[in-house]
Amino acid sequence: MNHYIHDSVQLGDNVKIGHFSVIEEDVVIGDNVVIGNNVTIHAGTVVGNNVSIADNSVIGRWPKPAKTSTVKVDAELPPLRLGDGCNIGANVVLYRGSIFGDEVMIGDLASVREKCEIGRNVVIGRGVAVENQVKIGEYTKIQTNAYITAYTTLEDHVFIAPTVTTTNDNFMGRTKERFKFVKGPYVKRGARVGGGSILLPGVTVAEESFVAAGALIHRDTEPAKLYVGVPAKPLRDVPDREKLENQE
């Protein structure tokens, strides 16, 4: 035997496990699951049916912040849960206390921290970092190397282009006063954020807003407007043909 499975693990039917993988106590794995080589699934994790987990991924990891970190670990974090049909890439790290809906796709080298809620049919691209206490709605797509800061909310059908940066701290780590104001962006249904854009702490990107590539959003946007520039300003209305209601 070249992998380790604890005696308390519940394995469904037709589960395939690669070489040198470790599955800890009280893990529950559904039917038709494929687990790659050198995968670690930590204690208590629940994996749904028809899930694929590629090589070298770590599922259900406990967070261990630095002594100087402002993030505190909750000793009662519930186990991580993966819904049916999730596709987890190689070298992915998913932390305990997060919940993933059905058919979520996570690209290679991505990470999702604790206390996150990820809706069904979400795509999280290669190298994306999703920090703690983030909420992501259904059918949202986050492209390569985007950074989703803690306390961010992305509603349904949001599009986040490559290398977008979100922020949540106007004090840049100085003064205790900042803890009262830490807040990530709120991106509403159908909004699109172009490549390399920056969303400042606490801004709301309204429904169907279109943020052009490289823009800096420092104030709340208006619904269905195109924003361009640094700082961003509204340029024109979003065409009706691009709105969600007119998509197939």
Side-chain angles (χ1 to χ4, degrees):
M1 183 176 67
N2 55 11
H3 53 251
Y4 170 78
I5 303 175
H6 193 273
D7 291 342
S8 62
V9 171
Q10 299 179 43
L11 286 178
D13 295 331
N14 195 33
V15 175
K16 299 178 181 179
I17 302 173
H19 300 294
F20 310 115
S21 291
V22 174
I23 305 178
E24 295 183 346
E25 61 269 24
D26 300 321
V27 168
V28 178
I29 296 177
D31 299 335
N32 305 308
V33 171
V34 178
I35 298 170
N37 301 313
N38 200 40
V39 171
T40 299
I41 303 180
H42 285 280
T45 297
V46 178
V47 178
N49 300 319
N50 304 303
V51 170
S52 176
I53 304 172
D55 300 344
N56 302 310
S57 288
V58 180
I59 310 299
R61 178 182 178 184
W62 272 94
K64 290 186 177 180
K67 292 182 179 179
T68 56
S69 176
T70 57
V71 175
K72 306 304 179 185
V73 176
D74 185 347
E76 301 300 324
L77 277 177
L80 179 142
R81 302 182 68 91
L82 284 176
D84 294 343
C86 289
N87 182 5
I88 310 302
N91 300 286
V92 169
V93 181
L94 306 180
Y95 285 75
R96 187 181 177 95
S98 289
I99 300 174
F100 297 78
D102 296 342
E103 305 293 339
V104 172
M105 187 275 181
I106 302 181
D108 300 343
L109 300 167
S111 63
V112 179
R113 294 283 307 203
E114 66 275 12
K115 297 184 179 180
C116 292
E117 298 178 18
I118 313 298
R120 64 189 179 96
N121 293 102
V122 165
V123 174
I124 296 175
R126 177 184 174 90
V128 170
V130 178
E131 297 291 359
N132 53 296
Q133 300 190 56
V134 167
K135 295 183 179 181
I136 301 175
E138 298 177 355
Y139 294 95
T140 284
K141 296 181 179 179
I142 306 171
Q143 301 293 308
T144 301
N145 292 331
Y147 176 73
I148 309 301
T149 193
Y151 309 106
T152 294
T153 297
L154 309 177
E155 290 189 345
D156 300 344
H157 294 279
V158 166
F159 180 84
I160 304 292
T163 71
V164 167
T165 299
T166 59
T167 59
N168 63 15
D169 182 3
N170 278 317
F171 293 85
M172 295 287 284
R174 299 288 171 85
T175 82
K176 293 183 178 180
E177 183 183 12
R178 74 185 190 277
F179 296 115
K180 296 186 292 184
F181 302 102
V182 170
K183 185 179 181 182
Y186 195 113
V187 184
K188 292 196 171 182
R189 185 177 187 273
R192 292 169 287 168
V193 182
S197 298
I198 299 173
L199 308 184
L200 292 188
V203 298
T204 296
V205 180
E207 295 90 344
E208 299 278 14
S209 287
F210 189 126
V211 177
L216 173 67
I217 301 298
H218 69 303
R219 294 178 181 171
D220 295 351
T221 70
E222 298 179 36
K225 295 283 188 181
L226 167 65
Y227 282 78
V228 300
V230 179
K233 296 180 181 179
L235 180 64
R236 58 172 172 79
D237 292 339
V238 171
D240 286 342
R241 69 177 183 276
E242 295 186 13
K243 294 180 180 178
L244 280 177
E245 63 191 32
N246 296 318
Q247 306 309 304
E248 295 181 359

